[in-house]
Amino acid sequence: MKKIYLVTIFILSHNALFAQIPDSIKVNISIIKQHIYADYKGMFRKPVGLLHYPFIVPGSVSYSDALWDWDSWLTNVALRQILEDQGTEKDKSEALPYEQGCVLNFLEYTSSDGYMPIQITANADPDKLRPANIYKTNMHKPVIAQHAAFLTRLNHGNADWLKEKFSIMQGFINNYEFHHRDRTTGLYYWQDDLAIGVDNDPSTFFRPAGSSASIYLNCLMYKELKAMVYLANCLNLKEIATEYNKDAEDLKSAVRKNCWDEKDGFYYSVDLNLRPITEEPAVIFGNKFILHSGFPRSYSCLIQRLGVWSGFMAMWAGIATPEQAKRMVAENYADKKTFNAQYGIRSLSRLEKMYSVRASGNPSNWLGPIWGISNYMIYRGLLNYGFKTEAWEMAYKTIMLFGKDYEKNGALHEYYEPDTGAPILNKGFQNWNYLVMNMIDWVNGKQVIEEF
């Protein structure tokens, strides 16, 4: 496929974009729909073992029987688009227990101190779901309220199914608030590099414990707090909603203050691994002396200038200012030397020394390959700030990537080579790749299902 097709399209007006979809895109849309409509129910699982509610799995042999945190949430968003397109009322009704079960299964295994597991498998040892020290390792990413809010909004704000469970969600948020948040900066941090979603993101991978205030994590948490506001209002808990809204706004301010880099026009993770300022004297050169007392540091963290795709999540979350978003698009999104590739946005800038597109399953490789989910979330962020031309580009590139994979291999994969579109690993990976359906419907001017 020649690269020129994007250029000829994006000079057209918004209305003309809808009217003049190239035949190559139409063909790939048809291929994608054919496969997804036939396959999507293969991700549904009945209650089994520890999982007492129906649930959704990511698909592929590697993830065939496990319930995962952010996977189930984003797969659910794609599922709803599929059902919107061609599902009957019966299909939607049959899907609901699987959707709600993703939330309810996790809440069932959330302890009174707010620890929620990252994933649950049917045959796991229930006594070992909880680590020995819940405050020194990662837990479920902050997406459970977003998942619940997504389903509640689809149900016109009826949150009765969560009424008895909302306090469990509050405990989960409290755990993050009091045990996974840096008091000085106001930012949330990973305890370690276990199951951080973007597995080998170099701002966290193999870094010292508790040192990474990840932009990815903080953007998720901002949206999670906003989801708690929505759910609290749906349950007529107005004062609680007000408190969560203040927490969200405080976090937005902290991210803008600490993670925005005026030099590069981009949002970065930050390093919290700084020695504390001390007033205790030590013996230095034979005399008592307070080290650095003449000019102690005035900063609480250091920006990690690592070109990771998750910096764009500040646009997805709505944290970036309009002026910042303009710079992010012009100086980073559009740069073919760093992020912008033939089939989407590289998960790591090509100029980073650790850039690699090798196949790896433990951890999964986010050091450069194209992922369907990063393409999607960047696309959503572009739309949030009115960059429709660039959003079209992201949608078209993703459609071409997945259509090509289906046509040649009969299935999707977990991640891809950025400029050839060659699949790298894990044939049969469905999961959030199905969010291409949301892109397709936007391209076609149809109603689009969005995450909360």
Side-chain angles (χ1 to χ4, degrees):
M1 180 55 57
K2 294 183 182 298
K3 298 182 180 182
I4 195 170
Y5 73 89
L6 293 173
V7 178
T8 60
I9 291 171
F10 295 147
I11 62 174
L12 302 173
S13 69
H14 179 68
N15 290 335
L17 285 168
F18 285 118
Q20 299 191 34
I21 299 173
D23 289 342
S24 58
I25 297 295
K26 292 178 181 177
V27 168
N28 280 280
I29 286 174
S30 178
I31 292 170
I32 290 169
K33 284 185 174 181
Q34 175 187 346
H35 281 274
I36 289 180
Y37 289 164
D39 295 342
Y40 78 90
K41 289 187 179 180
M43 298 187 295
F44 290 177
R45 294 291 185 272
K46 297 287 187 182
V48 57
L50 293 187
L51 294 151
H52 300 152
Y53 299 91
F55 61 103
I56 301 169
V57 300
S60 83
V61 174
S62 301
Y63 306 99
S64 59
D65 294 307
L67 172 62
W68 289 85
D69 50 9
W70 74 314
D71 301 69
S72 63
W73 158 54
L74 291 165
T75 304
N76 197 169
V77 177
L79 170 62
R80 273 290 153 172
Q81 190 70 56
I82 297 167
L83 294 173
E84 180 70 24
D85 289 351
Q86 60 94 53
T88 65
E89 289 305 314
K90 180 181 178 183
D91 289 330
K92 294 175 183 177
S93 178
E94 289 177 348
L96 186 60
Y98 295 91
E99 296 173 304
Q100 292 183 344
C102 293
V103 175
L104 296 174
N105 275 312
F106 278 121
L107 293 178
E108 181 177 2
Y109 290 100
T110 302
S111 56
S112 59
D113 45 25
Y115 176 81
M116 186 182 297
I118 294 168
Q119 64 114 324
I120 306 171
T121 55
N123 59 355
D125 183 341
D127 295 328
K128 295 181 180 178
L129 277 181
R130 176 187 170 93
N133 188 339
I134 65 170
Y135 304 126
K136 291 300 180 183
T137 191
N138 297 331
M139 62 174 180
H140 193 292
K141 285 170 274 299
V143 298
I144 195 73
Q146 292 178 72
H147 197 164
F150 170 76
L151 293 172
T152 298
R153 187 171 62 182
L154 288 175
N155 197 29
H156 309 292
N158 185 343
D160 287 348
W161 67 290
L162 287 172
K163 187 175 291 186
E164 302 302 319
K165 308 287 187 180
F166 187 68
S167 61
I168 300 176
M169 287 189 180
Q170 288 181 283
F172 170 70
I173 296 296
N174 286 343
N175 188 327
Y176 262 109
E177 167 76 20
F178 294 110
H179 301 285
H180 305 262
R181 189 183 188 199
D182 177 59
R183 297 295 149 202
T184 306
T185 62
L187 297 173
Y188 291 84
Y189 59 86
W190 294 122
Q191 295 289 347
D192 49 33
D193 59 2
L194 171 68
I196 58 173
V198 285
D199 293 11
N200 56 359
D201 172 356
S203 65
T204 303
F205 193 55
F206 274 93
R207 292 274 303 139
S211 67
S212 175
S214 161
I215 186 63
Y216 163 91
L217 173 62
N218 281 278
C219 287
L220 286 181
M221 179 56 78
Y222 173 72
K223 293 278 281 188
E224 186 81 340
L225 291 169
K226 286 294 190 181
M228 290 294 283
V229 173
Y230 173 77
L231 292 172
N233 278 322
C234 288
L235 293 169
N236 293 314
L237 302 171
K238 305 300 182 184
E239 291 186 5
I240 291 175
T242 299
E243 291 177 6
Y244 281 125
N245 193 59
K246 182 181 184 304
D247 291 343
E249 293 306 307
D250 288 347
L251 179 56
K252 179 196 287 186
S253 296
V255 173
R256 286 179 174 176
K257 175 183 177 181
N258 295 293
C259 301
W260 170 253
D261 183 33
E262 185 66 20
K263 174 178 177 288
D264 290 353
F266 201 56
Y267 273 92
Y268 291 113
S269 299
V270 300
D271 181 10
L272 302 172
N273 191 33
L274 305 179
R275 286 165 51 190
I277 298 171
T278 179
E279 295 298 325
E280 293 295 322
V283 176
I284 301 174
F285 307 136
N287 297 288
K288 284 190 174 182
F289 189 75
I290 299 175
L291 190 62
H292 311 316
S293 59
F295 201 152
R297 61 176 171 85
S298 59
Y299 46 90
S300 303
C301 59
L302 292 172
I303 282 180
Q304 295 175 289
R305 287 193 176 94
L306 297 169
V308 181
W309 78 271
S310 48
F312 292 107
M313 283 185 65
M315 293 175 65
W316 169 81
I319 289 175
T321 67
E323 294 75 18
Q324 290 171 348
K326 288 179 183 177
R327 289 195 60 191
M328 292 172 72
V329 171
E331 299 173 31
N332 292 279
Y333 169 85
D335 190 349
K336 290 179 169 52
K337 294 182 298 183
T338 57
F339 288 111
N340 199 298
Q342 176 65 6
Y343 286 95
I345 294 296
R346 297 180 180 90
S347 47
L348 186 72
S349 164
R350 187 164 55 181
L351 296 184
E352 297 295 349
K353 291 185 181 297
M354 64 285 292
Y355 179 84
S356 170
V357 294
R358 59 169 286 187
S360 172
N362 182 22
S364 296
N365 186 9
W366 294 80
L367 294 178
I370 297 290
W371 284 72
I373 184 55
S374 45
N375 270 11
Y376 173 80
M377 298 188 94
I378 292 168
Y379 147 86
R380 285 292 323 147
L382 291 166
L383 282 182
N384 286 347
Y385 288 82
F387 293 97
K388 291 183 178 179
T389 295
E390 291 80 5
W392 277 82
E393 180 185 10
M394 284 299 294
Y396 279 8
K397 286 181 175 182
T398 308
I399 291 166
M400 295 301 293
L401 175 66
F402 288 166
K404 175 182 175 180
D405 197 13
Y406 268 134
E407 185 174 28
K408 184 176 181 179
N409 301 298
L412 299 179
H413 288 72
E414 192 167 5
Y415 50 88
Y416 298 83
E417 203 285 330
D419 287 310
T420 67
I424 296 176
L425 191 75
N426 203 359
K427 184 177 180 179
F429 187 80
Q430 297 162 304
N431 201 359
W432 47 50
N433 283 348
Y434 282 1
L435 287 164
V436 70
M437 291 299 302
N438 304 59
M439 291 176 162
I440 286 171
D441 278 5
W442 179 75
V443 163
N444 283 318
K446 295 182 179 180
Q447 179 177 345
V448 177
I449 302 296
E450 300 174 7
E451 63 279 10
F452 178 82

